[in-house]
Amino acid sequence: MKSFTCFLLMLCSTSLVAQYTISQNSGKLKIIEVNEVTLEGHAGSDIIIEVEGEESHIPERAKGLKLLSPAGLEDNTGIGLSVTKDGTTSTIQEVSNRSDERYIIKVPTGVAIYYECSTHQGETLIAQDIASELEVSANFNDVRIINPTGPLAISTVHGSIEAEFENVNQDNSISLHAVHDHVDVTVPSSAKANFMLSTSWGEMFTDLDLDFGHDDSDMRRVSSNKMVGKFNGGGVDFSIRSTHDDIYLRKK
Amino acid sequence: MSDEEAMMEVQSGNTRMLSVLFERHHRRLYTYLFRTTRDRDLSEDLVQDTFEKIMRKRHTYRREYPFGGWLFRIAKNMLNDHYRNQKLSTVGIEDFDAPQDPRDVERSHIELALMRLKPEFREVLTLTKCQGMRYQEVANIIGISETGVKSRVHRAVKALKDSYVELKMT
Amino acid sequence: MKVDQEMLIKYLLGETTTMENAMITNLLEEDLTLQKEYQELAKIWSELESLPDELPSQKMEHRFTHWLDSMSEVPASRKSSRVMWLRSGRWAAAAAVVLLAGFFVFHQSKSTPVSESRSTVTGIEWVSSPSTTERIQGIYHATMKEHDPAIVQILLKLLREDESDNVRLTAVEALQTFPLTDDIKIGLIQALEKEEKPVVQIALISALVGLSDHDAKPQLEALIGNEDVEKTVKDEAQLGLLRL
C-alpha cells in the first residue's frame, strides 16, 4: 500500500507539471529569448519553473539524447531550458526553437527580473503580483502586468503594454514604453503619481483628474505629444509612452 | 553635481565633462593669472595649458582633493615653469615687466593700486580676497607655509594701502 | 598695548583675539587719527573684495572647445566600455565619499566667503546603481529638479554606455528637455550610429526629428540603407526624413 501511494505521488508530480527549481531568493533572474512566459510573484525562497500546456514535443527517436541549440545551449533542466548561474544572477534561456510551451516562472520577492526577447516568436508576457524590480526589453511581445508592487521599466517595439495596479508603490519609478502599439494603464483612484505621458503620433485618453483639459466627456483626450500631470497631489514618477499608438490611463 | 564628481567623471573617461569644469572655473583662474602676471595673452595661454595638463594628469586626481585648489595649484606650477623657462626665478616675477594694457585707463582706483604692487602681493590678495580662499588653501597653491601666507597678506595690505594713498595724491 | 597699523590690519583680517578686539574698538572711538586710518583700510579692503573677475577674450573659450572636441576620444565599442562602466561599482562609494568631502569642506570654510563657483551638490550615486529602475528614477529626479549642464554629460554618458535599453531610452527623453546644444546634438547622432536596439533607435530618430536636426539626415539615410537594421526602424527613419 505504501509503495502504491508513493507511485501515485510520483505519477502526479511527473505527469501534471514538469518542474525545475532554482534555489535563489535574492539577486537577479535573467530570462533571455524564452518566447512564452508567465511570471508570478510568490513568497517562497526558490525560483520555480513549470511548463504549461503541451507535454514535451521531444520525438521518440530522441529518447536518451540531449537537445542542443544552434547557440550552443544545452537543456540542463529536462524542460527545454538552459539554466546557468553566475554569482547571484541566474540566466534562463530556451533551447529549442520550435517550442510552444508556456513557462510559468514563480519568483521570490527578493529577486529582480530581467526579461529580454527579440524574435517575432515572442508571445504575451504575463507578470502577476511581482513585488521585485521588473525590467523588460522586448521586440514583439505584448506585455500584461497585473498587480505589480515593484519598480517597472518596460519597453516593447511591436507589442502593447497593459498594466493594472492595485496600488501604486511610492518607492518605485515606473516606465512603460511601447512603439507601435497602445499602452493601457489602470490605477486606483487614490494613487499618487507624477504622470509623464507622451506620444509622437498617437493620442492620449484619460478619466483621471490630472488638472489639465476642460473636456467633459468620460474619457477625454488630453492633447498630443507630451505632458506632465500630477494625480492626487503627485507622487512617484510614472512615465507612459507610445510613439505611434494611443495611451489610455484609467482609474478604477 | 559637484566639481569633484565632475572630475571623477573626467577621470573615468567622460572627458566631455571637462567643459563643465572649464565653464565653472576659467574666469576665476584667468583673473588670478592676469592679476598676478598682468599679461592677457600669457594668462589665456596658461588657462588653456592648465586644462590640457589636467586632462593629461587626470589619473592622478584623488576625489578627496577639493577641485578648485588642485586646479589653482596646477596653474601656479605652470606659471612657475613659464618664468623658469624665461630664465627668471619664481622670485623674479617681481622684475617681470608686463606689457601696457590699453584697458588700464578704465580701471578703478583700487584696481590700479593693486596693479602697482609686487606680483607676489597681487597674488595673495587675489587668492584670499577676490577668490575667498583660506590661508591654508593659498599656502598649498603657492607652495609656502600658512604663516608665510599670513605674513605676506599683512605686508600686501599695507602696501596696497600705501599704493592707494599715493595714487590718490597724484 | 600700542595699536599700530600692523594691529589694525590684524583687526581688519579678523585675526585679533576677543581681548584685543575690545581694546581696539575702544581706542577707535577715542582716537580720531586711528579711526581715519582704519576707515581707509576698511574701504580699500571692501573695494578689493568687490572687484569683478577679469574677462578673458572670447577666443580663449573657442580655443578650449576646439581642443576638447579634438581630444574627445571616439568611444570604443560599446560593449567594452559598458563593462568598465559596470565595473565601476566602487563608483557609488566614491560618489558618497566625494559628497562627504564636499560637506566637510563646506563646513570648514563657512567662516570665509564661499566662492560662487562652488557648485550645487547633487548626488549622482544613482548613476552606478545596479538597479535599472533606480538609474531611471535618478534621471527623472536629476532632470526635473534643476537644469545643471553637468547632468547633460551624465545623460550622454548613459546614452553611450548604459547596458539597459530602458535607461538609454529614458536618457534620450530627458535630453530633449534641455536647451539644444551642439553636445546634445552630436551625442544623439553618435548614439544613433552605435545603437542596435530598435526601441532606442526609434526614440533617437524621433528626438532628432523633433529637434529638427537636419544634420541627422546622413545617419537616417545610412539606417535606411543598412541591411542589418530592422524594417520598423527603417520606416521610422524614412518618416523622419520626410518631416525634416
Side-chain angles (χ1 to χ4, degrees), chain A residues 24 30 39 57 122-123 133 139 161 169 175 214 222-223:
Chain A
Q24 182 181 343
K30 287 184 173 179
L39 296 164
H57 59 271
E123 294 284 339
E133 176 180 272
N139 217 350
I161 301 173
N169 188 330
S175 137
H214 303 284
V222 271
S223 109

Side-chain angles (χ1 to χ4, degrees), chain A residues 123-140:
Chain A
E123 294 284 339
T124 305
L125 172 74
I126 301 169
Q128 194 160 2
D129 304 324
I130 300 294
S132 49
E133 176 180 272
L134 173 62
E135 180 181 10
V136 174
S137 165
N139 217 350
F140 291 88

Side-chain angles (χ1 to χ4, degrees), chain B:
Chain B
M1 169 183 276
S2 70
D3 292 340
E4 290 74 21
E5 287 174 304
M7 189 57 216
M8 290 305 287
E9 273 291 295
V10 173
Q11 190 175 69
S12 70
N14 190 4
T15 51
R16 284 258 145 216
M17 199 59 103
L18 196 64
S19 65
V20 173
L21 292 165
F22 180 83
E23 210 40 62
R24 287 177 186 169
H25 293 281
H26 77 272
R27 269 189 73 181
R28 52 192 294 250
L29 185 62
Y30 173 78
T31 302
Y32 159 61
L33 291 166
F34 175 72
R35 294 239 166 96
T36 310
T37 65
R38 296 197 309 183
D39 183 334
R40 293 196 172 276
D41 290 338
L42 173 65
S43 302
E44 293 195 356
D45 285 349
L46 285 172
V47 169
Q48 176 66 25
D49 291 350
T50 302
F51 277 92
E52 289 187 13
K53 186 145 192 183
I54 280 183
M55 185 71 104
R56 285 197 303 277
K57 287 183 57 159
R58 63 183 184 275
H59 298 295
T60 65
Y61 179 75
R62 295 282 167 273
R63 55 185 162 268
E64 35 317 325
Y65 303 165
F67 177 78
W70 191 63
L71 172 80
F72 274 70
R73 170 124 191 83
I74 290 176
K76 171 67 178 175
N77 283 338
M78 305 289 293
L79 183 62
N80 287 346
D81 287 350
H82 171 80
Y83 287 125
R84 211 167 290 135
N85 290 342
Q86 291 217 340
K87 302 235 185 287
L88 293 164
S89 71
T90 336
V91 192
I93 337 175
E94 291 166 39
D95 316 308
F96 184 66
D97 200 10
Q100 283 293 312
D101 189 330
R103 276 192 253 179
D104 279 354
V105 286
E106 301 159 19
R107 293 186 184 279
S108 62
H109 210 83
I110 181 72
E111 227 173 332
L112 292 175
L114 180 69
M115 289 299 187
R116 290 160 58 128
L117 303 185
K118 297 201 285 186
E120 57 175 44
F121 285 172
R122 298 201 298 263
E123 182 175 49
V124 284
L125 288 177
T126 304
L127 291 175
T128 52
K129 201 59 190 169
C130 309
Q131 307 288 346
M133 290 184 184
R134 289 171 290 138
Y135 288 171
Q136 190 211 324
E137 288 177 274
V138 177
N140 279 335
I141 291 165
I142 63 181
I144 61 174
S145 72
E146 211 176 318
T147 343
V149 174
K150 191 169 160 180
S151 105
R152 196 177 283 184
V153 171
H154 279 230
R155 285 182 288 131
V157 173
K158 190 176 177 313
L160 180 65
K161 203 214 152 199
D162 293 347
S163 161
Y164 192 89
V165 172
E166 198 179 305
L167 253 179
K168 219 161 197 181
M169 292 201 290
T170 54

Side-chain angles (χ1 to χ4, degrees), chain A residues 190-243:
Chain A
S190 61
K192 284 176 169 295
N194 298 327
F195 284 106
M196 292 168 272
L197 313 175
S198 68
T199 174
S200 304
W201 306 88
E203 312 225 61
M204 306 191 240
F205 301 90
T206 186
D207 62 353
L208 264 62
D209 190 11
L210 288 175
D211 257 353
F212 38 66
H214 303 284
D215 200 317
D216 289 320
S217 62
D218 260 351
M219 285 285 279
R220 56 195 144 76
R221 186 192 142 192
V222 271
S223 109
S224 69
N225 236 310
K226 186 159 194 170
M227 60 197 354
V228 179
K230 287 185 174 179
F231 185 46
N232 288 323
V236 66
D237 297 319
F238 199 132
S239 161
I240 306 176
R241 179 178 171 85
S242 168
T243 315

Side-chain angles (χ1 to χ4, degrees), chain C residues 13-220:
Chain C
L13 296 175
E15 292 164 2
T16 37
T17 63
T18 329
M19 253 175 63
E20 287 169 332
N21 274 347
M23 188 191 70
I24 294 168
T25 322
N26 278 340
L27 270 177
L28 280 178
E29 275 172 26
E30 292 161 16
D31 187 335
L32 287 183
T33 329
L34 200 68
Q35 195 183 78
K36 191 164 168 279
E37 167 98 22
Y38 180 73
Q39 278 168 351
E40 261 176 6
L41 265 178
K43 178 168 177 273
I44 292 170
W45 202 227
S46 77
E47 278 183 27
L48 184 62
E49 189 173 29
S50 55
L51 258 187
D53 271 352
E54 294 285 328
L55 264 185
S57 71
Q58 287 251 304
K59 75 173 196 278
M60 183 173 123
E61 199 153 353
H62 290 159
R63 181 169 153 200
F64 173 82
T65 316
H66 189 79
W67 164 78
L68 190 62
D69 283 346
S70 72
M71 279 299 293
S72 295
E73 313 113 317
V74 179
S77 92
R78 202 170 55 220
K79 271 248 158 71
S80 61
S81 50
R82 268 187 211 169
V83 172
M84 281 181 52
W85 177 244
L86 280 176
R87 264 196 209 141
S88 59
R90 284 170 300 172
W91 232 95
V97 169
V98 170
L99 284 175
L100 278 175
F103 185 73
F104 184 64
V105 166
F106 175 73
H107 273 257
Q108 269 210 330
S109 59
K110 236 179 176 174
S111 52
T112 57
V114 178
S115 61
E116 48 144 31
S117 53
R118 187 153 291 291
S119 58
T120 49
V121 176
T122 311
I124 53 159
E125 321 84 275
W126 56 267
V127 181
S128 56
S129 163
S131 155
T132 304
T133 51
E134 269 175 27
R135 298 201 297 283
I136 290 177
Q137 193 160 14
I139 295 177
Y140 289 151
H141 283 198
T143 45
M144 264 193 297
K145 261 189 292 179
E146 51 177 337
H147 271 186
D148 182 347
I151 294 296
V152 169
Q153 299 302 331
I154 291 284
L155 292 173
L156 288 170
K157 180 176 167 126
L158 288 167
L159 181 57
R160 284 194 302 271
E161 298 175 4
D162 200 282
E163 54 163 6
S164 160
D165 325 347
N166 286 301
V167 173
R168 301 202 298 282
L169 211 51
T170 311
V172 175
E173 296 201 344
L175 280 167
Q176 292 174 71
T177 65
F178 284 84
L180 184 62
T181 60
D182 280 351
D183 266 5
I184 295 182
K185 217 158 105 172
I186 293 165
L188 289 171
I189 291 177
Q190 283 179 347
L192 186 59
E193 284 172 1
K194 293 243 173 309
E195 186 58 56
E196 287 165 2
K197 287 291 180 105
V199 69
V200 189
Q201 286 172 322
I202 290 169
L204 283 165
I205 294 170
S206 119
L208 287 165
V209 172
L211 297 167
S212 302
D213 187 353
H214 293 271
D215 296 345
K217 278 183 174 174
Q219 276 70 28
L220 296 183

